[in-house]
Amino acid sequence: MENSQPSPEASVLDELQRLRASIDNLDAALVHLLAERFKCTQEVGRLKAEHRLPPADPEREARQIRRLRSLAEESKLDPVFAERFLNFIIAEVVRHHELIASSMSETADR
């Protein structure tokens, strides 16, 4: 059975490749930005642990979610997606903060 779809023109393939290259660059930038963000949140986690502050800060998290939803709306990005994305990141940050606090607690007990 033959494929009845016409093959794409070279210009379409070139445009597809250009767009995919941009996506690849943006994905790399996102990874680097997330790495920088997590470096900062690790410092926050250490500071919280040193001063026996709780790993999570629900008030701050709620403010950040509201802020990110607003930014998403301004940028024509689905605010529900933006909130889910931030909640995923927050959960990972809190997990890191709990690990840092646990590690510092164990070191102090020795």
Side-chain angles (χ1 to χ4, degrees):
M1 180 178 234
E2 287 186 31
N3 187 350
S4 62
Q5 293 181 347
S7 61
E9 296 178 26
S11 62
V12 171
L13 294 176
D14 288 345
E15 179 68 2
L16 187 60
Q17 182 58 36
R18 183 190 70 75
L19 291 168
R20 286 179 174 165
S22 291
I23 291 167
D24 292 349
N25 287 337
L26 291 165
D27 287 345
L30 284 170
V31 168
H32 291 293
L33 285 170
L34 283 170
E36 285 301 311
R37 188 185 195 288
F38 277 99
K39 285 178 189 174
C40 290
T41 61
Q42 293 287 3
E43 289 298 316
V44 168
R46 280 190 274 286
L47 189 60
K48 284 181 171 184
E50 287 171 8
H51 296 278
R52 301 195 190 287
L53 297 170
D57 184 345
E59 289 180 21
R60 160 110 173 124
E61 293 161 16
R63 282 193 311 272
Q64 285 297 93
I65 288 168
R66 284 191 304 273
R67 181 176 160 270
L68 193 68
R69 283 183 67 96
S70 177
L71 289 171
E73 288 171 1
E74 291 170 13
S75 300
K76 307 291 190 258
L77 180 68
D78 180 1
V80 173
F81 167 76
E83 183 174 345
R84 286 183 188 149
F85 181 71
L86 187 59
N87 280 328
F88 178 77
I89 291 172
I90 289 170
E92 187 66 9
V93 167
V94 170
R95 188 179 72 80
H96 289 183
H97 289 182
E98 289 167 345
L99 290 171
I100 292 167
S102 175
S103 172
M104 291 180 88
S105 175
E106 288 173 9
T107 304
D109 290 345
R110 291 181 188 165

